[in-house]
Amino acid sequence: MIFLAHGLGGVRDLPVPAWLFFWGGAVVLVVSFVLLGALWRRPLLARLAGGRAAAGALSRLVLSRALRIVLQALSAGLFALVLAAALAGDTDPFRNLAPTWIYVIFWLGVPFLSAVVGDVWRVLSPWRAIADAAVWAWERSGREARPLAAYPERLGRWPAAVLLFAFAVLELAYSDPSNPRALAFATALYSYMTWFGFVAFGRERWSERGEAFAVLFGLFARIAPFVAREGRLVLRWPLTGLAGSESVPGTVAFLAVMLGTVGFDGFSRASTWQNLLADVEGPYVLENPGLADLLVSGVNLVGLLAFVALVAGAYLLACAAARSMVGAPRSLVPDFLLGLVPIAFVYLVAHYFSLFVIQGQFAIPLLSDPLGKGWDLLGTAGYLPNLAPLSPNTTWYVQVGSLVAGHVAGLSVAHDRAVALFRERDAALRSQYAMLALMVLLTVGGLWLLSRG
């Protein structure tokens, strides 16, 4: 991406060496594991998941049909504006709304809203909004809107995993990901596939299984302390939505894509990877730049696949070790899978925090001049973003804190599931040794990647 670097920007004057942060993160996880084993002896998340209903007036306001229609209309309008900017706006990514809106406001803002507020994507999705309007018009004409086919259960979340990986390829492997015309093509293609999925399998089913962003944001929403249930807004303890197992096919692959692609993004900015890319494209960059770009994209694609496979392999190996340690009669893969959701969320926060804070400010002037035509529709075209709102070390502390907290949360979710599965306390603890090792690996690995950027 051509945007401002979303890593640290260089940490040079920390009060202690960076390796002490790595050890500190590992120690926090080990201490947390000991405390969980001593104090958390019965499953709590499922018992606390019921929560309590919010005040009736608040529920009616938040879940009202009028508010949903207004938000969906706004979402559809913004979608049309962003697509128009990508199709017909200035080709300079810094003068066009589409790259900043897609890669910063949408890709980083919606996950945060989902984890804090709940499943907002059901209302904010422009594809769902347009589909809802089409179904309403269809049914108003006296016809019934029904899916064309039943969704094959064996596919599970595999379509969503493939589509999320395709988005990562566009962002991290393609040679010019911020090109507005490339984003226009990708947006149009994804829109076609999403609406086709809605027509073929129904809006609900495709959103739960095939629409990559709906699946992603829906998983993050399970962290949130708010949930809509039976027409009421319910307040619950955070993380309680992650109680239980997750046996939908393709979920391991989906979470591996979530974690692996963000991890590769951090590694791809390290000097080791940059030197490799320079060696690959060097012989062709002058004589055949098209071939050079293609080779770089191919190497990045291989790197993406390797990181996704590494995450999936590490999790499956940890589950196999846990099963062996307790002699479980079946695979434990579905049982501890939701413990990866908080980790995937904090990986996004840690890796892209500075990008969101810095590059997100550019949305303010770009909304006044979305196509780069010299307009000032909202009176904000002259807004000057602050390019140094945070010091590199402040960013580093946020990254370290979020990564460690997220892994402790993931460890807690896995531990809660363990004490629900195994009545004997020793067996529950043994099942978590491998999970602890996995969490330490992901924490230290994440910190190392961030420090290399």
Side-chain angles (χ1 to χ4, degrees):
M1 290 178 63
I2 55 119
F3 291 133
L4 297 169
H6 43 273
L8 288 172
V11 176
R12 294 292 180 267
D13 57 349
L14 292 172
V16 296
W19 62 266
L20 281 179
F21 285 92
F22 305 161
W23 277 103
V27 169
V28 169
L29 285 175
V30 172
V31 171
S32 299
F33 177 82
V34 173
L35 292 175
L36 287 170
L39 304 175
W40 196 325
R41 302 193 177 195
R42 291 181 297 175
L44 295 177
L45 295 182
R47 183 161 59 87
L48 297 173
R52 61 184 180 87
L58 180 61
S59 285
R60 287 191 295 272
L61 173 63
V62 172
L63 303 179
S64 67
R65 185 168 182 265
L67 180 60
R68 177 173 61 84
I69 291 173
V70 169
L71 291 177
Q72 286 190 315
L74 180 61
S75 173
L78 283 171
F79 173 78
L81 178 64
V82 171
L83 183 58
L87 280 170
D90 197 305
T91 55
D92 181 354
F94 284 110
R95 292 173 51 81
N96 191 303
L97 174 64
T100 294
W101 191 267
I102 291 172
Y103 286 130
V104 181
I105 306 303
F106 162 72
W107 178 235
L108 306 180
V110 179
F112 178 78
L113 277 178
S114 300
V116 173
V117 179
D119 194 9
V120 296
W121 190 241
R122 289 182 61 87
V123 176
L124 297 183
S125 168
W127 300 292
R128 182 67 179 262
I130 294 169
D132 285 350
V135 169
W136 177 83
W138 182 268
E139 292 182 340
R140 290 279 291 182
S141 68
R143 292 169 289 187
E144 182 182 2
R146 293 186 300 175
L148 299 178
Y151 186 80
E153 290 301 320
R154 67 181 181 278
L155 287 181
R157 293 191 174 106
W158 279 105
V162 171
L163 289 173
L164 186 64
F165 184 77
F167 177 79
V169 170
L170 171 65
E171 182 189 12
L172 304 175
Y174 181 56
S175 60
D176 193 9
S178 299
N179 185 305
R181 303 300 181 260
L183 286 174
F185 175 78
T187 302
L189 182 60
Y190 188 85
S191 299
Y192 171 79
M193 289 187 289
T194 300
W195 287 323
F196 178 83
F198 287 163
V199 171
F201 305 114
R203 289 164 292 169
E204 290 294 336
R205 201 59 174 164
W206 187 249
S207 295
E208 293 170 354
R209 298 288 188 266
E211 208 269 270
F213 301 115
V215 174
L216 176 70
F217 303 146
L219 287 172
F220 287 155
R222 297 171 76 164
I223 301 173
F226 304 99
V227 64
R229 189 183 296 149
E230 298 178 355
R232 297 292 299 272
L233 181 66
V234 175
L235 282 69
R236 62 186 181 183
W237 285 96
L239 301 178
T240 54
L242 299 173
S245 64
E246 188 63 43
S247 57
V248 178
T251 306
V252 173
F254 189 86
L255 286 165
V257 170
M258 291 165 63
L259 284 162
T261 53
V262 176
F264 172 75
D265 190 16
F267 182 70
S268 67
R269 296 192 303 276
S271 58
T272 302
W273 191 259
Q274 291 298 315
N275 290 338
L276 172 63
L277 295 181
D279 291 340
V280 168
E281 70 175 347
Y284 310 99
V285 69
L286 295 178
E287 296 181 358
N288 195 340
L291 177 59
D293 287 342
L294 183 61
L295 290 173
V296 167
S297 295
V299 173
N300 281 327
L301 177 59
V302 171
L304 272 172
L305 287 169
F307 266 73
V308 171
L310 181 64
V311 171
Y315 176 73
L316 294 175
L317 182 62
C319 289
R323 181 183 182 184
S324 175
M325 287 181 179
V326 297
R330 62 170 179 81
S331 172
L332 299 177
V333 169
D335 295 292
F336 302 134
L337 191 53
L338 292 178
L340 297 181
V341 174
I343 300 170
F345 174 68
V346 297
Y347 259 54
L348 274 177
V349 172
H351 282 262
Y352 301 121
F353 169 72
S354 59
L355 173 68
F356 185 76
V357 171
I358 298 172
Q359 187 67 30
Q361 298 175 68
F362 285 85
I364 298 173
L366 287 171
L367 281 169
S368 268
D369 186 18
L371 276 68
K373 302 293 185 181
W375 304 338
D376 192 6
L377 302 176
L378 304 178
T380 60
Y383 176 82
L384 296 176
N386 180 2
L387 298 183
L390 301 168
S391 70
N393 286 1
T394 300
T395 303
W396 171 251
Y397 294 137
V398 171
Q399 292 172 325
V400 171
S402 60
L403 270 182
V404 173
H407 285 80
V408 170
L411 193 62
S412 301
V413 171
H415 177 79
D416 182 81
R417 184 58 183 163
V419 295
L421 283 174
F422 306 107
R423 293 184 178 180
E424 296 182 3
R425 179 168 172 269
D426 289 345
L429 290 177
R430 287 198 308 273
S431 74
Q432 292 304 287
Y433 293 155
M435 291 298 114
L436 173 62
L438 177 64
M439 299 300 178
V440 170
L441 174 66
L442 291 175
T443 300
V444 175
L447 291 174
W448 182 83
L449 289 174
L450 288 168
S451 70
R452 297 298 95 191

